[in-house]
């Protein structure tokens, strides 16, 4: 039987299964598939070395083999902090104002993708399915083909794909997409991102594109591009929500609210998540409804990320400043309106927080999916569910239309959404919850994984 080989920038061992979306949903998304297929997960260890050697550390845990390599500091600076997170990430999230176009970043990105191919190729047997993940490794399929691999190779993009007018600002954009067309199947989170990619292929490359099937023919090769909206491990999250750890976390939060309604946000500290804009919306709510400072407490959990990238340092400072200003203006001896928590929590703890919080704010400026929105709904009490306030620009909004949809750029819109959620009667909360829980339960990560793997094995064998 063929095995599944997953390749991603970082590798999460099985014990990390179900880590909250704010800290990276890829682990929970892939572990069950790897176990089922006797899989291997290959990627960067996250550690730096003095000099690149190509040596691989292989471990087997709970039925899954992990293989990792270390990278020199120059590679980390140019490939990871540089091209991946200072060029592609902001551009793909429509932040062209933050996008850095440095030639050395591009060289480092190509060099590290070649190193991934060099190290991963010997692990891949002729019948294996290879599944590459995310923007760090866009050209990896072409690098593997150059080493003679004729396997079925698929790629999934976990972030948005930008409109053509934005994407063409990237130097050598044609070359990057040409390398992507060496994959057999390309997966995107939503139909919107898929349409943007197909438009680029048709308009800029002159490829033959079938908009209905997603078939792209270019340079004698055929690639299929489709939308596969990612889900959560619903059964696992439900189990975590029943644990003693979740119960204690929920009780701890409830006891600290002093009879106020708790609203929560759980996001990686990143400018794409719209955190300063969210705090502005909360400030506008308190400005417009000063008497309700005793009705609402907001808890923002924001684990730090990519701390070596300057733009991330700036957003942390901005968030701390805005939070401090609101608390300074609105606090009383027994009340602090906003709690800002700059560390991560286990999934069980988050389930307890989610269930206790009667409002969840998921308001990214742009997001491929956003699994926190789905986690929050999955953790709710069906008899007394909370309200999800969701950005129209999150991929999840296309599946979760019964959330209170909001424009995260507008403080007034956010303020109105918070008031709507705070005052929503139980009957309406339950109606919305019943519609939302269906898609969260049915469109789960197991189906997502199976749908992609099935298509990779069969689609377009011509």
């Amino acid at each position: 039987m063929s095995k599944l080989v997953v390749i991603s920038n970082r590798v999460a061992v099985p014990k990390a299964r179900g880590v909250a979306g704010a800290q990276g949903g890829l682990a929970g998304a892939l572990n069950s598939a790897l176990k089922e297929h006797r899989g291997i997960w290959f990627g960067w260890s996250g550690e730096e070395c003095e000099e690149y050697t190509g040596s691989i550390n292989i471990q087997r845990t709970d039925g899954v083999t992990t293989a990792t390599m270390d990278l020199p500091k120059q590679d980390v600076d140019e490939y990871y902090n540089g091209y991946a997170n200072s060029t592609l990430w902001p551009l793909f999230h429509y932040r062209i104002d933050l996008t850095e176009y440095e030639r050395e970043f591009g060289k480092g990105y190509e060099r590290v993708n070649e190193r991934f191919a060099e190290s991963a190729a010997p692990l891949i047997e002729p019948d294996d399915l290879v599944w590459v993940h995310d923007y760090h490794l866009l050209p990896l399929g072409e690098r593997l083909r150059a080493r003679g691999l004729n396997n079925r190779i698929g790629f999934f993009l976990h972030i948005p794909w930008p409109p053509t007018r934005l994407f063409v600002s990237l130097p050598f954009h044609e070359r990057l997409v040409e390398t992507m067309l060496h994959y057999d199947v390309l997966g995107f989170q939503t139909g919107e991102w898929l349409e943007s990619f197909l438009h680029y292929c048709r308009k800029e490359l002159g490829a033959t594109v079938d908009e209905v099937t997603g078939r792209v023919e270019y340079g004698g090769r055929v690639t299929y591009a489709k939308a596969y909206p990612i889900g959560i491990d619903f059964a696992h999250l439900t189990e975590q929500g029943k644990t003693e750890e979740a119960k204690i976390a929920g009780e701890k939060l409830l006891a600290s609210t002093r009879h106020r309604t708790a609203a929560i946000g759980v996001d990686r500290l990143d400018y794409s998540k719209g955190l300063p804009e969210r705090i502005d919306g909360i400030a506008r709510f308190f400005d417009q409804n000063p008497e309700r400072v005793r009705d609402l407490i907001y808890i923002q959990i924001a684990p730090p990320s990519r701390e070596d990238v300057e733009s991330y340092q700036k957003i942390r400072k901005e968030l701390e400043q805005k939070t401090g200003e609101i608390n300074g203006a609105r606090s009383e001896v027994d009340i602090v309106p906003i709690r800002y928590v700059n560390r991560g929590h286990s999934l069980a703890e988050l389930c307890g927080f989610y269930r206790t919080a009667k409002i969840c704010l998921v308001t990214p400026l742009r997001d491929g999916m956003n699994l926190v929105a789905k986690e929050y709904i999955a953790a709710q009490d069906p008899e007394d569910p909370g309200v999800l306030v969701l950005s129209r620009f999150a991929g999840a909004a296309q599946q979760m239309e019964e959330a209170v949809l909001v424009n995260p750029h507008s403080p007034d819109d956010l303020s109105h959404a918070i008031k709507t959620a705070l005052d929503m009667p139980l009957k309406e909360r339950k109606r919305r919850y019943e519609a939302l829980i269906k898609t969260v339960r049915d469109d789960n990560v197991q189906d997502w994984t199976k749908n992609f793997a099935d298509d990779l094995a069969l689609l377009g064998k011509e």
Side-chain angles (χ1 to χ4, degrees), residues 89-342:
W89 178 273
L91 178 62
F92 281 35
H93 287 86
Y94 298 40
R95 291 300 304 271
I96 195 169
D97 57 312
L98 298 177
T99 304
E100 298 179 27
Y101 301 119
E102 297 288 343
R103 184 177 293 271
E104 295 307 311
F105 289 174
K107 289 180 180 178
Y109 184 76
E110 292 185 8
R111 180 175 64 249
V112 172
N113 268 267
E114 182 60 36
R115 287 177 172 174
F116 265 76
E118 174 189 343
S119 297
L123 304 174
I124 301 170
E125 297 175 3
D127 292 334
D128 292 345
L129 295 177
V130 182
W131 192 358
V132 180
H133 286 265
D134 229 357
Y135 60 102
H136 313 83
L137 303 173
L138 291 169
L140 183 59
E142 187 271 339
R143 301 293 191 274
L144 292 172
R145 299 288 185 211
R147 291 180 173 275
L149 269 69
N150 294 316
N151 303 61
R152 302 290 294 175
I153 307 177
F155 175 87
F156 187 82
L157 184 66
H158 291 260
I159 64 175
W161 182 270
T164 298
R165 286 186 178 182
L166 280 182
F167 186 68
V168 295
S169 69
L170 181 71
F172 308 110
H173 54 86
E174 300 98 337
R175 187 169 75 190
L176 189 63
V177 176
E178 285 169 358
T179 65
M180 292 175 65
L181 295 177
H182 284 261
Y183 292 107
D184 294 295
V185 177
L186 292 168
F188 298 86
Q189 292 279 24
T190 72
E192 180 182 349
W193 316 142
L194 170 63
E195 288 171 11
S196 293
F197 178 78
L198 293 178
H199 177 265
Y200 175 89
C201 290
R202 185 181 66 253
K203 185 174 186 297
E204 296 296 325
L205 293 185
T208 302
V209 176
D210 186 325
E211 304 282 351
V212 177
T213 64
R215 186 182 188 275
V216 180
E217 186 175 355
Y218 179 78
R221 285 192 53 82
V222 172
T223 298
Y224 279 84
K226 294 182 65 176
Y228 302 88
I230 195 170
I232 63 170
D233 190 335
F234 182 80
H236 178 62
L237 188 138
T238 302
E239 290 170 7
Q240 290 296 300
K242 296 175 181 176
T243 62
E244 188 67 17
E245 187 179 5
K247 181 182 176 183
I248 292 170
E251 290 174 347
K252 184 178 179 181
L253 178 59
L254 184 63
S256 73
T257 61
R258 297 179 181 271
H259 306 293
R260 289 173 288 168
T261 297
I264 194 169
V266 180
D267 308 82
R268 189 166 47 76
L269 191 58
D270 185 284
Y271 50 79
S272 69
K273 303 300 182 182
L275 298 181
E277 292 82 2
R278 185 183 306 169
I279 299 301
D280 288 342
I282 294 168
R284 185 65 56 87
F285 171 78
F286 286 131
D287 288 344
Q288 294 175 340
N289 307 275
E291 75 285 357
R292 307 206 69 170
V293 74
R294 288 191 171 272
D295 293 343
L296 181 73
I297 180 170
Y298 178 64
I299 299 102
Q300 176 63 59
I301 297 174
S305 69
R306 302 169 189 161
E307 295 178 272
D308 293 337
V309 180
E310 185 180 356
S311 56
Y312 291 82
Q313 298 168 1
K314 288 181 179 178
I315 193 172
R316 179 171 180 171
K317 290 179 182 176
E318 183 181 8
L319 194 60
E320 290 170 349
Q321 180 182 350
K322 286 178 178 288
T323 300
E325 288 173 355
I326 294 174
N327 283 339
R330 297 290 180 188
S331 292
E332 298 182 24
V333 172
D334 60 339
I335 287 178
V336 178
I338 298 179
R339 295 180 192 157
Y340 172 46
V341 183
N342 193 225

Side-chain angles (χ1 to χ4, degrees), residues 319-371:
L319 194 60
E320 290 170 349
Q321 180 182 350
K322 286 178 178 288
T323 300
E325 288 173 355
I326 294 174
N327 283 339
R330 297 290 180 188
S331 292
E332 298 182 24
V333 172
D334 60 339
I335 287 178
V336 178
I338 298 179
R339 295 180 192 157
Y340 172 46
V341 183
N342 193 225
R343 70 177 184 86
H345 290 269
S346 70
L347 180 59
E349 288 177 307
L350 288 176
C351 285
F353 297 155
Y354 289 148
R355 197 172 180 91
T356 301
K358 291 306 172 188
I359 302 170
C360 182
L361 300 181
V362 179
T363 57
L365 304 181
R366 189 71 55 176
D367 218 341
M369 178 52 64
N370 198 295
L371 295 180

